[in-house]
Amino acid sequence: MAEEVERIKCLIVGSGPAGYTAAIYAARANLKPVVYTGMQMGGQLTTTTEVENFPGYPEGVTGPVLMEDLRKQAERFGTDIRFGIVTDVDFSAHPLKVTVDGAKPVEADAVIIATGASAKYLGLPSEERFRGMGVSACATCDGFFYRGKDVAVVGGGDTACEEATYLAGLCNKVYLIVRKNYLRASKAMQERVFKTPNIEILFEHNTLELLGSDETGVTGARLVYRKGEPDQAEKEIKIDGFFLAIGHHPNSEVFSKYVKTDEQGYIITEGASTRTNVPGVFAAGDIMDPVYRQGIAAAGSGCRAAIDAERYLGELEAQKH
Ligand code: NDP
């Protein structure tokens, strides 16, 4: 006899501040939420060191501790937190169908998508080849391995400046590779970079290729100055680590057959609500927020998603009677 498919009242996909906050609210509203954590349990904040702007922590808190606190708070009210990745969905009819880890089918009355955003890569073949062998998109996760060495960070935004400053405290030298002739980062962040003596900014440079071998990993990078212009010139730098900090892309692919997204892939929600175009499917956090992208903003929308889901489930229940 075929095994019965599990039916979940409120399924939350993702375990960042949006997912866990939605879980806290949903659990307290007796929606019996199940969270599938995704690959990176705790989300992007687990790759951060100090977080000083999350309300409620006057002395600051580290990203992993903050996420651990949110997880415990969600569990305290009975949230069922499971490690697993949603690999497919069928939102064409109710109940909503979700496949976990390519194998486990579940059904849900409401789904809250809180899958966040992931780091972007340049798309160079050599970058792919050296992924995990000198190429990283998270200085706070991997910087430790490059103590005393020379590294490069790509990007000119707040992330790039933050990561370059962080790495400068660990490494011998940090090249900051910026494709324009200015930094897009906030003035305060720029000042920190300009004042750090072991950061060298390479304005108007693009990366052509990473150098190295399967044995050594990354040993250098081939760059071009003023790409596409008549006075363009190539140069090589010797580095052991190459850190990407060129922005993020929203993790919406698995849902985008049914759920409307903008051209960048951010899920579109109705007005100030977290409702998507699919009844019963809600979106919270960085997956629907290309503007603010902050932990506390994500937590706030997680709260709204749980309230929207609760109202939806209440109406669904009322229709049955
Ligand atoms: P941003 O989108 O702000 O910046 C991305 C940077 O990468 C830009 O300088 C961009 O160049 C560059 N870039 C993009 N694609 C390429 C490419 N193919 N090759 C080379 N360079 C490229 O992303 P961030 O992650 O820095 O920031 C995201 C948001 O998070 C921002 O709103 C930021 O303010 C915020 N943030 C705030 C922090 C804080 O306050 N502590 C810390 C980190 C982020 P170009 O300028 O030419 O487009």
Side-chain angles (χ1 to χ4, degrees), residues 44 53 120-123 154-163 177-186 189 192 205-207 227 244-248 290-294:
Q44 278 190 81
N53 52 11
K120 279 187 188 162
Y121 287 80
L122 294 172
V154 190
D158 281 321
T159 304
C161 290
E162 199 171 68
E163 305 232 319
I177 305 169
V178 184
R179 67 179 173 184
K180 294 212 174 112
N181 63 357
Y182 61 88
L183 294 172
R184 182 201 283 211
S186 63
M189 210 66 102
R192 278 171 67 186
H205 279 78
N206 279 279
T207 310
K227 191 180 177 186
L244 281 309
I246 59 169
H248 291 80
V291 179
Y292 299 103
R293 295 188 277 198
Q294 296 297 302

Side-chain angles (χ1 to χ4, degrees), residues 30-141:
N30 203 25
L31 303 186
K32 300 187 170 43
V34 171
V35 172
Y36 277 104
T37 60
M39 188 78 90
Q40 193 170 32
M41 192 165 173
Q44 278 190 81
L45 271 174
T46 55
T47 65
T48 320
T49 46
E50 247 349 75
V51 179
E52 296 182 329
N53 52 11
F54 201 96
Y57 291 94
E59 308 301 329
V61 61
T62 67
V65 169
L66 172 60
M67 295 319 299
E68 189 65 5
D69 283 351
L70 284 174
R71 182 183 63 76
K72 285 186 199 151
Q73 196 173 349
E75 280 180 336
R76 185 181 148 206
F77 301 107
T79 305
D80 181 351
I81 298 173
R82 305 174 184 174
F83 184 81
I85 298 159
V86 168
T87 48
D88 199 13
V89 298
D90 179 353
F91 290 165
S92 58
H94 274 80
L96 303 156
K97 293 181 184 58
V98 170
T99 307
V100 182
D101 294 334
K104 182 180 160 60
V106 295
E107 291 179 349
D109 293 307
V111 173
I112 296 174
I113 303 171
T115 45
S118 300
K120 279 187 188 162
Y121 287 80
L122 294 172
L124 304 170
S126 49
E127 185 186 44
E128 193 57 49
R129 177 180 170 202
F130 294 121
R131 188 96 57 108
M133 291 176 65
V135 173
S136 167
C138 178
T140 45
C141 319

